[in-house]
Amino acid sequence: MTDPDAGAAADAAADAAAAVALAYREEWTRIVATLIRATGDWDVAEDATADAFERAALRWESEGVPRTPGAWLTTVAKNRALDVLRRRGVETGKVREWMVMDELSGGGASDDPGELAAAEPEWDDRLRLVFTCAHPALPIESRVALTLRTVGGLDTGEIARAFLVPESTMAQRLVRAKRKIRHAAIPYRVPAGDELPERLGGVLAVLMLVHNEGYLASSGDRLLRLDLQEEAIRLARLVVELLPDADEARALLALLLLQHARSAARVDADGELVPLDEQDRSRWNHAEVAEGLALLASPSSEPGTIGVYRVQAEIQGVHARARTADDTDWARIVGWYDALLAASPSPVVELNRAVAHGLAGDTELALAELDRLEASARLGDHHLLAAAQADLLRRTGRPADAAARYRDAIRLAPTGPERRFLERRLAALDGG
Amino acid sequence: MRYMMFVATDPEAEPFVAEEDDIADWAADVDARGVHVFGERLRPVQDATLVRVRGGELLVTDGPFTESKEWIAGFGVLDCRDLDEAIEIARRHPMARFGRIELRPIWPLDVAEDPTAREEREAADRGRRTEPSVGRSNPDRTG
C-alpha cells in the first residue's frame, strides 16, 4: 500500500463525487424534461435519468470526469430510456427519431413532428415541465410535490421529510399525480399567449408554497427549514432564466431572496425567534439582499400593472434598505400595503397594513383597524391578530390590556418559538 | 382524447341571466372546430327513473332524489387534443358561469375483452413502479 496511490485514488473519488453533485444540480431538470417529451413517460424519464447519475458516480471515479458531463449523462440516460421502452415492447422508432431531431435542432423541438409546422415558439423543455407540474387540474399538494421531485430532482424521502408526511404517503401522491397527467391527458406544453400569465401565476404560487413551508413550519419546533427555502430560490431562478421578461417571476425571486437573506438573523443562538426590529442587520446575507434589490431595480415589463409578488417584494425591499429598524420608511410600507390590498384583498394584508400604520406612528388608527378586523371575525382566532393588538396596546401604555392579548396570542401560537417569543414579550411587560 | 363534460347546477354560481346565455355561440364555435361529438340537456331529476335488479328481481322507482342542490343538467362529449383544450372549451360554456362543469376523461372499454383479464391488466398498470425502488438512493445532490 503506497500513500501517493491512496491519496490519488481519494482525490479521484472526491473529484468524481463533486462533479456528479454539480451535474445533478445543473443537469437533472434538463435531462428529465427532454426525456419526458421524447418518451411521453414520466417514470421512464425519471428512472433513466437517475440511472445515468448512478452510472456517473461509478464510472467517473475510475475513468475520470468527462469533458462535457451534461452530454455524457444525456446520452446514457437516453440509451437507458430506449432500453427500458424496448424491453417493454414499445415501438421505439418514433422515440429515437425525436431524439435525433432534438439533437439536430439543439433541443426545444416540438413533441410531435406534425406540430413542428405550427408557429409555436420553441420553448425549453424545462419550461414545459415546470408548467405541467404546476397544472391547476392537479391537487395543490401534488403540484408542490411533483415540482420538487421532477423539476427539483429531490427524492421522495427528502420531500416527505420536509413536509412531515410518511414517505409512502408522498410516494402515493406522486404516483397519483403522474397517473392523472397520463389519464386526463394533461399536456406537456407551455400555455399559449393569453393563458400564459394566468398559468405562470399558478407556477409562482407553487414556488411560494415551497418557500412558505420552509420559512415557517405550520406546527412543531423547527422554525427554519432552510432546504425548502433554498429549493424555492433555485426553482425561481430557473423560471426567471426561462422566462426573463416575466416581471412577476423576477419579483418572486426578489421576494424569496430578501426573506432568505434574513435567515441567520431571524433565530438566535438558542433557536429562539428574533423579530425584524431586533435583528442584527450585519448578519443579513448582503449578497442576497443586493441581488434581490437589483431584481427590483429593473422596471416592470408591463407598465401600469403591478403584480402581487412585486408589491410584496417592494415591501421587503423597504426593510432591506433600512440601515436600522428605526430607519424603516413605514409610510412607504403603508403605501405598498394599500396597493396590495387593492390587488389582492385579504384579512392578513389588512392586519399587516394596520401594523404598518402603528409603526408609522398612527397607533390609534392601527388599533381601530385591528378592532374592526377582530369584529369582522374574518381572521378567526389568529395569534398574529392578538399579538399585533398586544404590541400596539403596549406601545400606547396600556400594559394590562396588552398582557391579556399576549396571553391570547400565546394560547393560539402554532409553533414553540413563536409561543416563547410572545412569552418573553409578556414577561418584559410584567417587569416594566 | 375524449372527455365527458358534465354540465351541473351549482348553488354558489352566478345567477342565471337569460341575456347572457350565449350557448348558441358556444355551440357554433365547437361545431366549427369539430371538437363536439354529441351533447344534450337533461330533464330535471323529478322526471328521472331508477332501475335496479336485486336478487334477480327488477325494482323500478322514481328518483334518485338527493338532498344536494347540484344536479346534472346536461352533458357533452368533447374530442380534444388534450385537457387544456377541453378546459378552454369548458370555460366558455355559459354553464361554467351559471353552474359548473366537470370534465372526465372517457375510459374506453373493449367489451370483447375477458373481464378477468382486463381487471388484471389494469391492476398491473396501477401498480407500475413509478419511483426508483427503496434502497436505491440518488447521488448526493448537495455534495
Side-chain angles (χ1 to χ4, degrees):
Chain A
M1 196 176 94
T2 57
D3 278 342
D5 279 359
D11 283 352
D15 286 351
V20 171
L22 179 68
Y24 199 86
R25 271 197 302 278
E26 292 185 345
E27 305 287 348
W28 164 273
T29 317
R30 195 180 49 73
I31 298 172
V32 160
T34 302
L35 284 186
I36 290 174
R37 180 168 51 76
T39 64
D41 189 314
W42 289 56
D43 298 327
V44 167
E46 282 179 13
D47 279 3
T49 308
D51 210 69
F53 279 98
E54 272 176 47
R55 286 185 195 199
L58 295 173
R59 300 260 302 269
W60 295 3
E61 187 179 330
S62 54
E63 296 169 19
V65 177
R67 254 187 312 135
T68 49
W72 189 98
L73 287 159
T74 306
T75 304
V76 171
K78 278 181 177 177
N79 290 336
R80 175 79 190 140
L82 283 171
D83 278 351
V84 172
L85 289 174
R86 225 179 277 126
R87 219 171 304 141
R88 223 187 256 166
V90 176
E91 176 47 59
T92 54
K94 213 174 167 194
V95 174
R96 190 191 300 277
E97 198 178 298
W98 288 340
M99 285 178 175
V100 170
M101 248 169 42
D102 198 52
E103 267 156 29
L104 292 177
S105 69
S110 168
D111 57 348
D112 184 342
E115 277 176 26
L116 278 172
E120 275 185 29
E122 289 193 358
W123 293 110
D124 191 303
D125 284 333
R126 291 173 297 175
L127 198 57
R128 296 167 190 263
L129 182 61
V130 163
F131 274 101
T132 306
C133 289
H135 198 281
L138 297 170
I140 184 68
E141 66 270 20
S142 300
R143 284 178 241 166
V144 170
L146 203 56
T147 299
L148 288 170
R149 166 71 194 125
T150 316
V151 184
L154 272 67
D155 74 35
T156 312
E158 281 180 285
I159 305 168
R161 282 190 294 282
F163 286 88
L164 310 174
V165 302
E167 185 166 345
S168 56
T169 306
M170 189 53 75
Q172 196 51 238
R173 195 176 288 174
L174 288 164
V175 167
R176 289 217 183 94
K178 287 183 229 166
R179 204 177 283 154
K180 178 157 187 184
I181 288 171
R182 184 154 45 108
H183 290 162
I186 291 177
Y188 194 57
R189 193 168 61 220
V190 176
D194 50 342
E195 283 169 28
L196 189 64
E198 196 178 328
R199 292 281 307 278
L200 178 61
V203 169
L204 301 181
V206 165
L207 302 190
M208 195 67 206
L209 274 177
V210 171
H211 168 268
N212 288 350
E213 192 66 29
Y215 191 67
L216 190 65
S218 58
S219 63
D221 265 16
R222 292 190 296 148
L223 192 62
L224 286 179
R225 278 187 271 166
L226 278 175
D227 283 354
L228 281 182
Q229 279 184 273
E230 280 170 7
E231 204 54 40
I233 288 172
R234 195 165 76 88
L235 293 167
R237 271 192 216 287
L238 175 66
V239 174
V240 170
E241 180 198 330
L242 296 171
L243 284 173
D245 291 335
D247 186 59
E248 276 289 82
R250 267 184 297 144
L252 176 70
L253 178 56
L255 174 61
L256 300 184
L257 285 165
L258 291 171
Q259 294 208 7
H260 191 253
R262 302 202 294 259
S263 297
R266 208 167 161 263
V267 283
D268 66 16
D270 301 322
E272 295 298 330
L273 185 70
V274 183
L276 185 53
D277 60 339
E278 292 172 16
Q279 287 174 12
D280 174 0
R281 296 185 179 218
S282 70
R283 295 186 65 209
W284 287 359
N285 182 328
H286 296 285
E288 287 183 337
V289 168
E291 191 187 352
L293 292 178
L295 283 160
L296 290 181
S298 54
S300 166
S301 52
E302 294 167 61
T305 63
I306 189 147
V308 292
Y309 294 116
R310 164 66 79 153
V311 178
Q312 293 176 74
E314 293 285 2
I315 291 170
Q316 297 307 322
V318 175
H319 289 304
R321 287 187 197 96
R323 282 181 37 247
T324 67
D326 289 340
D327 284 343
T328 308
D329 187 348
W330 285 104
R332 201 180 170 84
I333 290 181
V334 168
W336 284 119
Y337 274 122
D338 285 337
L340 189 55
L341 216 45
S344 163
S346 91
V348 173
V349 175
E350 284 178 47
L351 170 73
N352 286 327
R353 187 181 59 164
V355 169
H357 269 143
L359 291 164
D362 209 338
T363 329
E364 289 310 317
L365 172 65
L367 275 171
E369 284 177 345
L370 290 180
D371 284 348
R372 260 205 308 281
L373 192 57
E374 189 187 354
S376 77
R378 278 176 301 143
L379 259 182
D381 268 343
H382 200 298
H383 74 289
L384 289 177
L385 175 59
Q389 286 172 319
D391 208 48
L392 284 164
L393 291 165
R394 176 177 63 85
R395 285 166 198 269
T396 52
R398 290 159 65 186
D401 295 333
R405 284 310 263 161
Y406 274 129
R407 285 193 195 94
D408 292 337
I410 290 163
R411 184 169 47 79
L412 296 166
T415 68
E418 286 181 287
R419 199 156 45 237
R420 289 191 294 275
F421 164 71
L422 291 163
E423 280 163 356
R424 288 198 298 279
R425 279 275 157 106
L426 176 62
L429 202 61
D430 290 344
Chain B
M1 184 72 189
R2 285 185 301 157
Y3 298 87
M4 182 69 170
M5 180 182 77
F6 290 110
V7 178
T9 63
D10 184 337
E12 285 168 18
E14 294 174 15
F16 178 76
V17 180
E19 299 84 74
E20 290 171 15
D21 179 0
D22 51 2
I23 186 69
D25 296 343
W26 182 87
D29 179 56
V30 293
D31 285 345
R33 287 163 63 169
V35 291
H36 192 227
V37 178
F38 173 65
E40 288 293 355
R41 59 182 174 157
L42 299 172
R43 296 266 183 204
V45 286
Q46 287 81 358
D47 299 328
T49 302
L50 195 62
V51 178
R52 287 167 291 182
V53 175
R54 295 289 180 269
E57 192 181 342
L58 173 66
L59 297 165
V60 176
T61 54
D62 191 18
F65 301 109
T66 63
E67 294 302 308
S68 164
K69 289 197 162 46
E70 298 120 43
W71 63 81
I72 294 169
F75 67 92
V77 176
L78 304 177
D79 192 354
C80 298
R81 179 159 80 142
D82 52 42
L83 184 63
D84 279 1
E85 191 184 20
I87 291 170
E88 203 264 314
I89 288 162
R91 82 185 290 172
R92 287 185 293 108
H93 191 288
M95 281 299 281
R97 283 171 279 137
F98 304 135
R100 64 184 193 201
I101 289 173
E102 179 181 332
L103 292 171
R104 295 273 294 272
I106 283 179
W107 191 4
L109 176 67
D110 176 5
V111 292
E113 186 179 14
D114 174 63
T116 311
R118 177 168 55 236
E119 190 72 12
E120 279 169 8
R121 186 174 52 75
E122 287 174 353
D125 183 53
R126 276 196 296 277
R128 227 174 72 196
R129 190 169 62 86
T130 56
E131 284 296 299
S133 56
V134 178
R136 217 184 77 179
S137 66
N138 285 325
D140 184 4
R141 211 170 36 81
T142 49

